[in-house]
Amino acid sequence: MSVQTTRQLALPPRPRRPLRAVAWAVITLAVVVAFWSIEVNWQRLGDLPSEIARYFGLMFSSPNWEKLPEALWQTWRSLEMAWVGTVLSILLATPLSLLAARGFGPAWLRELLRGLFSLIRAVPEIIIAIVILSVTGLTPFTGALALAVNGIGTLGKWGYEAVEAVPQGPIEAARAAGGGTSEVLRWGVWPQAAPAFWSFWLYRFEINVRSSAVLGLIGVGGIGDMLTSYTQYREWATVGVLLIVVIAATVLVDWASGAIRRRITEGGRARGMA
């Protein structure tokens, strides 16, 4: 018997995974059904590039710069909304994330908090804002509260994952020295997890800046509220100015936040790379 024949006989049979095949078939069927159920108008879809070009011309060929001061003021209000929401979510999510980490809270509380974080993340900010506005009304504070509640879900999950990922050496040393839970968190966990937490907080602020513009669609104030109003009245020259301001503010915040996060996570190397 040849060596090649021996190798062929030695190969194990290919494993059969019927459940995987059924799952892929169901997913494929769901995608096809979802695609056809939306009733795509192919003629309108073909006109989409020309329509986009036309609206771009209406918005940016001659922007209405007289609205720039008001746009800047409303953008500042959106940034305030994002900042307040971020600070509130940090104050609430940080201690909860520590309790949700393995080894620092009872099992029942850990599972309860993790379920709460998942539930909050499943609800968009705009739905949370609609629920809150029945109490607080259409004010920027409503948007800030909605961002804060939604931020608890993301910051809580990122927080307990960061705590569980830190090396165990300092934690064991703090416990061996007789430290309680608070001392272990202060001296064994926080010095190692602090850069990750700062990075998460800054990234959440970036997300809130974008979300604050979307929350303006329901009338809680900010640049999104102004953008909705002028879009409804078809004042495209003003809409163009608003979009320019929104894009510029978002890019500036992303750049500043990214630079700070790199400085925190990479230390002195970030300055040398820059």
Side-chain angles (χ1 to χ4, degrees):
M1 184 178 294
S2 64
V3 177
Q4 183 177 1
T5 305
T6 304
R7 291 178 177 176
Q8 291 178 352
L9 293 176
L11 292 176
R14 185 175 182 180
R16 296 182 178 181
R17 298 183 176 90
L19 294 179
R20 178 179 294 182
V22 171
W24 277 111
V26 171
I27 293 173
T28 303
L29 180 62
V31 171
V32 172
V33 171
F35 181 81
W36 289 107
S37 62
I38 60 176
E39 299 179 358
V40 178
N41 188 331
W42 295 104
Q43 183 178 359
R44 295 287 301 274
L45 189 61
D47 297 337
L48 184 60
S50 61
E51 289 295 312
I52 292 177
R54 184 171 72 88
Y55 280 104
F56 266 63
L58 292 174
M59 290 186 293
F60 301 114
S61 60
S62 56
N64 184 11
W65 295 108
E66 294 180 357
K67 298 295 182 178
L68 181 60
E70 183 181 359
L72 293 175
W73 167 243
Q74 294 299 332
T75 301
W76 178 252
R77 296 188 68 185
S78 295
L79 292 175
E80 289 179 330
M81 190 189 310
W83 177 253
V84 172
T86 303
V87 172
L88 290 177
S89 62
I90 290 171
L91 295 177
L92 295 173
T94 301
L96 295 179
S97 65
L98 296 176
L99 292 175
R102 288 186 178 89
F104 298 100
W108 66 268
L109 181 59
R110 181 173 65 244
E111 297 302 324
L112 178 64
L113 290 175
R114 294 190 179 196
L116 177 63
F117 296 153
S118 299
L119 178 62
I120 292 175
R121 291 197 308 274
V123 183
E125 293 97 339
I126 193 167
I127 302 300
I128 298 175
I130 291 174
V131 174
I132 294 176
L133 66 82
S134 61
V135 179
T136 58
L138 291 174
T139 64
F141 186 61
T142 301
L145 288 178
L147 294 174
V149 172
N150 190 265
I152 293 174
T154 54
L155 291 180
K157 176 179 173 59
W158 294 342
Y160 75 72
E161 288 180 348
V163 171
E164 293 177 352
V166 300
Q168 295 298 309
I171 297 176
E172 295 174 357
R175 286 175 175 165
T181 302
S182 59
E183 288 81 11
V184 171
L185 289 172
R186 172 62 183 87
W187 303 108
V189 174
W190 183 250
Q192 303 179 87
F197 272 84
W198 280 103
S199 178
F200 296 153
W201 296 344
L202 289 168
Y203 184 57
R204 183 63 209 185
F205 176 63
E206 295 179 25
I207 296 174
N208 285 350
V209 170
R210 302 185 188 95
S211 299
S212 63
V214 178
L215 290 177
L217 299 176
I218 63 174
V220 297
I223 191 65
D225 192 4
M226 188 177 179
L227 186 61
T228 302
S229 300
Y230 284 102
T231 301
Q232 291 176 345
Y233 289 106
R234 310 293 188 191
E235 296 188 21
W236 301 116
T238 303
V239 173
V241 173
L242 300 181
L243 289 178
I244 292 173
V245 173
V246 169
I247 293 172
T250 303
V251 170
L252 182 61
V253 169
D254 287 353
W255 173 81
S257 177
I260 296 173
R261 283 190 289 114
R262 286 193 301 271
R263 179 62 179 170
I264 292 173
T265 57
E266 300 177 9
R269 292 184 302 166
R271 181 177 298 179
M273 291 180 180

